[in-house]
Amino acid sequence: TDADECSSGNGGCSQNCTNTVGSYECSCGDGYELYIENGQGGYSIASGETGDVAGDVLHLNHSCIREFVLVNSLHMCL
């Protein structure tokens, strides 16, 4: 039997959790993007954290951050 990782604590995802066979995936709603690398969107993992542990402020592949776009060379929040 396959476990539903999303059924407990939303799989650790900050917004959306989709259960898949043998795993799960986190995703984000409109105006947000999944945080997949340190420094993305100007967000950095706090000193003393790894981004891999539940409870870290930013959790890689689980946290959603505001999406930014460049408009006329200006960084704008969607």
Side-chain angles (χ1 to χ4, degrees), residues 17-37:
C17 184
T18 303
N19 190 51
T20 61
V21 177
S23 191
Y24 67 100
E25 293 178 358
C26 298
S27 61
C28 307
D30 291 342
Y32 291 85
E33 61 186 355
L34 195 61
Y35 187 71
I36 59 173
E37 66 180 335

Side-chain angles (χ1 to χ4, degrees), residues 2-20 23-26 54 59 62:
D2 181 47
D4 181 355
E5 294 87 354
C6 298
S7 67
S8 176
N10 201 38
C13 302
S14 65
Q15 290 187 9
N16 308 313
C17 184
T18 303
N19 190 51
T20 61
S23 191
Y24 67 100
E25 293 178 358
C26 298
H59 193 190
H62 289 78

Side-chain angles (χ1 to χ4, degrees), residues 31-49:
Y32 291 85
E33 61 186 355
L34 195 61
Y35 187 71
I36 59 173
E37 66 180 335
N38 194 24
Q40 178 182 341
Y43 293 89
S44 296
I45 295 171
S47 177
E49 296 185 359

Side-chain angles (χ1 to χ4, degrees), residues 36-66:
I36 59 173
E37 66 180 335
N38 194 24
Q40 178 182 341
Y43 293 89
S44 296
I45 295 171
S47 177
E49 296 185 359
T50 64
D52 294 322
V53 179
D56 284 354
V57 174
L58 290 171
H59 193 190
L60 294 167
N61 299 308
H62 289 78
S63 296
C64 293
I65 58 172
R66 293 291 302 204

